[in-house]
Amino acid sequence: MASSEDLARYFAAGTGLDPFGEAFSRRHAVMPFRGKKRLPPEEMQDVWLQVQSQPGRPGKRLAYIHIPFCANHCLFCGFYKNAYVPQTGADYVELVIEEIRREAQSNAVHGKPIHAVYFGGGTPTALNAGELSRLITTVRTELPLAPDCEITVEGRIIHFTPDKIDACLEAGANRFSIGVQTFDTDVRKRQGRRSSREEAVRFLEYLRDQDRAALVIDLIYGLPGQTLDIWQRDLETAADIAPDGLDLYGLNLIPTTPLAKAIAAGKFPATPELNRIGAFYRAGAEFFRRRNWRQISNNHWARTTRERNLYNLLIKEGADCVAFGSGAGGSFGAVGYGLNGDLALYGEDVRAGRKSLGMMTVSDELSALRTLVTAGFEVGHLDLGRLDRSSGQAMTPVFEPLLHQWQGAGLLSFADGIVDLTLAGRFWYSNLVSAFHDILSLELGRPENAARAIS
Ligand SMILES: C[S@@+](CC[C@H](N)C(=O)[O-])C[C@H]1O[C@@H](n2cnc3c(N)ncnc32)[C@H](O)[C@@H]1O
Ligand code: SF4
């Protein structure tokens, strides 16, 4: 049971303070492996065969295809895996196509529609036009895609040439998610982004003017050297380009990245303190609110009705996801899996006719409740009644004291069992989710899965 002392550990700093800058002293990551048990490697192939033989669960479904190549390692990025080499890329595409074809007719994949496909990376747009076309066409012909399936290709500005854009569109891609990070030429170049502001703008306008697919761009705030003035200009440039959608991500300073190492070695100025980062989020969120863009999740805005952001929303809701390619991750019900990130191992496995499983997990019985909280807070809204019904217990009274405290601190409004996050609450989303997950674990008999306090 969660005691009042347990709850008090999650209280935000008191009223009268700036909720963006001072609610908590640190950001708490949502732990992706909470409540998940890793299976021993020798059991993974058997469990995979069982999963594949069962018909899919009801509900919307997803497919993810990972392309683990990049032209260079951008300093801030934790996703980098392999340098792009044309022959390696070509061989890899053949392997992924083989993997997709092999699984397409399994009970788990066949039969029920897939509603969103994501070609992510890395940099899918590093591949050549023919490879992009073959990959997208394979997915469209082999997998049971819904007629209105969202098909996203993630990419970057350099090397995404007009012939590749045409190849993606002709093969059926209907959404491009392009990493921009910042338009400021200086800040870009210091992070390993090779194109200038002018080249980035010209490219995005070209892609927008094709008008055949949703255009989404990613911006990051908190990069070294990116002042609030530079950020304001980033927002204005993005609004002028008028994409269909936009992500605003706070820089996550991942210890293994070249950026974190350079800062630790004193070769780079430190990134802004947490109490200044909230101001960037607030500036961005208010900027787009004033322009009447719809905020469809904490970090995502849509300007037009073309943008749905389906893949990202459904993955947070725990939708089943079939995954292909080295380093990809997916899930079927309680079983989650990650494919080998090592290209040689992945190739060996595909050639031997095996799913290249690098790890597999099974979730505990609280997984559906945790997902309800994560998916709700992701869109800034939680109906506690659903938590009561799903858990079969009265959870509302357990959370009430905490919700009232957070309300007083400016993080949310709470009435009639409905929680609505304020902008500041959206900024601190991961802290709120972690607190809820901890308390669910304490309250419902899984204390071993409760983490530490968040403030
Ligand atoms: C998987 S990456 C692929 C992006 C694409 N390859 C590119 O270079 O533009 C997707 C997005 O994650 C975001 N991202 C990457 N590293 C990040 C970090 N350390 N902190 C916050 N966001 C990050 C970036 O906005 C990036 O566009
Ligand atoms: S930002 Fe994109 S191109 Fe740069 S390292 Fe990360 S995934 Fe690769």
Side-chain angles (χ1 to χ4, degrees):
M1 286 275 287
S3 66
S4 53
E5 246 172 48
D6 287 328
L7 287 187
R9 289 159 64 207
Y10 302 101
F11 282 1
T15 41
L17 297 174
D18 165 25
F20 286 92
E22 293 166 303
F24 301 104
S25 58
R26 70 190 179 94
R27 275 244 245 207
H28 212 265
V30 176
M31 295 187 300
F33 292 108
R34 189 197 292 255
K36 292 182 179 169
K37 195 179 84 181
R38 236 180 133 131
L39 289 185
E42 62 277 13
E43 289 179 20
M44 295 193 302
Q45 290 295 337
D46 284 348
V47 174
W48 175 251
L49 292 178
Q50 280 172 34
V51 164
Q52 284 288 289
S53 66
Q54 286 158 15
R57 296 183 301 160
K60 302 249 187 265
R61 304 192 314 152
L62 308 170
Y64 179 82
I65 299 97
H66 195 63
I67 313 296
F69 304 109
C70 299
N72 63 294
H73 190 168
C74 309
L75 266 58
F76 58 84
C77 185
F79 296 99
Y80 179 87
K81 266 298 198 198
N82 309 288
Y84 174 67
V85 176
Q87 189 55 51
T88 316
D91 296 343
Y92 180 75
V93 166
E94 296 311 314
L95 292 168
V96 176
I97 288 175
E98 192 174 331
E99 190 190 3
I100 295 170
R101 288 201 174 130
R102 189 175 299 140
E103 259 162 68
Q105 294 310 316
S106 67
N107 283 342
V109 176
H110 177 73
K112 292 204 181 67
I114 288 176
H115 294 87
V117 176
Y118 202 94
F119 291 88
T123 317
T125 56
L127 299 174
N128 73 28
E131 290 155 2
L132 285 165
S133 172
R134 268 170 46 70
L135 262 184
I136 299 168
T137 304
T138 303
V139 164
R140 288 195 61 213
T141 49
E142 299 285 333
L143 300 182
L145 304 193
D148 62 347
C149 185
E150 175 188 272
I151 304 177
T152 304
V153 177
E154 185 170 67
R156 114 183 229 191
I157 293 158
I158 56 162
H159 306 142
F160 197 14
T161 44
D163 61 324
K164 295 189 191 182
I165 295 171
D166 286 348
C168 290
L169 290 168
E170 274 149 35
N174 52 30
R175 185 170 181 265
F176 292 116
S177 175
I178 305 294
V180 175
Q181 327 313 355
T182 170
F183 288 99
D184 188 273
T185 304
D186 248 22
V187 179
R188 290 175 63 73
K189 295 218 161 157
R190 271 185 280 155
Q191 292 303 317
R193 308 295 289 188
R194 295 177 180 172
S195 43
S196 65
R197 166 191 293 279
E198 292 70 27
E199 287 162 333
V201 170
R202 215 176 309 128
F203 167 83
L204 293 169
E205 287 176 345
Y206 174 82
L207 196 50
R208 175 201 64 197
D209 290 344
Q210 302 303 301
D211 202 14
R212 290 165 69 191
L215 169 62
V216 177
I217 65 179
D218 294 343
L219 293 178
I220 297 184
Y221 54 90
L223 290 165
Q226 187 190 32
T227 60
L228 263 173
D229 282 347
I230 291 179
W231 180 236
Q232 183 66 26
R233 207 163 159 221
D234 280 336
L235 301 173
E236 283 161 12
T237 310
D240 287 346
I241 290 166
D244 296 282
L246 164 126
D247 283 296
L248 303 182
Y249 294 126
L251 174 73
N252 179 8
L253 191 59
I254 305 162
T256 52
T257 54
L259 177 60
K261 290 178 190 159
I263 291 175
K267 293 184 189 150
F268 241 105
T271 50
E273 297 290 321
L274 190 58
N275 62 2
R276 290 195 40 235
I277 286 289
F280 284 76
Y281 180 76
R282 178 183 200 162
E286 289 179 349
F287 180 93
F288 290 107
R289 179 187 279 172
R290 280 197 300 276
R291 280 156 187 78
N292 205 28
W293 294 33
R294 277 177 303 132
Q295 185 167 10
I296 51 182
S297 72
N298 293 327
N299 298 329
H300 196 90
W301 283 260
R303 189 183 66 82
T304 67
T305 50
R306 197 176 226 172
E307 169 58 346
R308 296 181 291 164
N309 198 31
L310 262 193
Y311 181 89
N312 294 316
L313 290 173
L314 289 171
I315 205 90
K316 288 276 164 57
E317 288 176 16
D320 284 354
C321 177
V322 48
F324 305 100
S326 171
S331 66
F332 287 98
V335 177
Y337 61 98
L339 305 185
N340 271 315
D342 180 294
L343 275 183
L345 276 182
Y346 171 76
E348 257 173 53
D349 282 339
V350 175
R351 284 186 209 99
R354 284 188 297 267
K355 190 71 172 170
S356 188
L357 297 164
M359 66 107 180
M360 199 173 239
T361 58
V362 179
S363 300
D364 68 18
E365 68 287 355
L366 299 189
S367 156
L369 292 177
R370 277 192 298 268
T371 302
L372 203 70
V373 170
T374 313
F377 280 158
E378 175 68 17
V379 295
H381 180 90
L382 186 65
D383 176 353
L384 287 175
R386 287 189 65 197
L387 215 50
D388 291 350
R389 288 190 292 281
S390 301
S391 63
Q393 296 192 33
M395 296 304 295
T396 305
V398 175
F399 286 107
E400 254 169 3
L402 183 61
L403 291 166
H404 285 305
Q405 202 278 338
W406 284 348
Q407 179 162 258
L411 299 176
L412 50 83
S413 66
F414 172 54
D416 303 327
I418 301 289
V419 180
D420 279 304
L421 301 189
T422 61
L423 269 191
R426 283 175 174 270
F427 175 68
W428 291 108
Y429 146 90
S430 56
N431 291 40
L432 310 191
V433 169
S434 295
F436 258 66
H437 285 183
D438 274 6
I439 294 162
L440 283 171
S441 301
L442 291 170
E443 192 61 27
L444 299 172
R446 284 275 185 178
E448 71 279 14
N449 289 338
R452 286 148 288 136
I454 53 174
S455 50

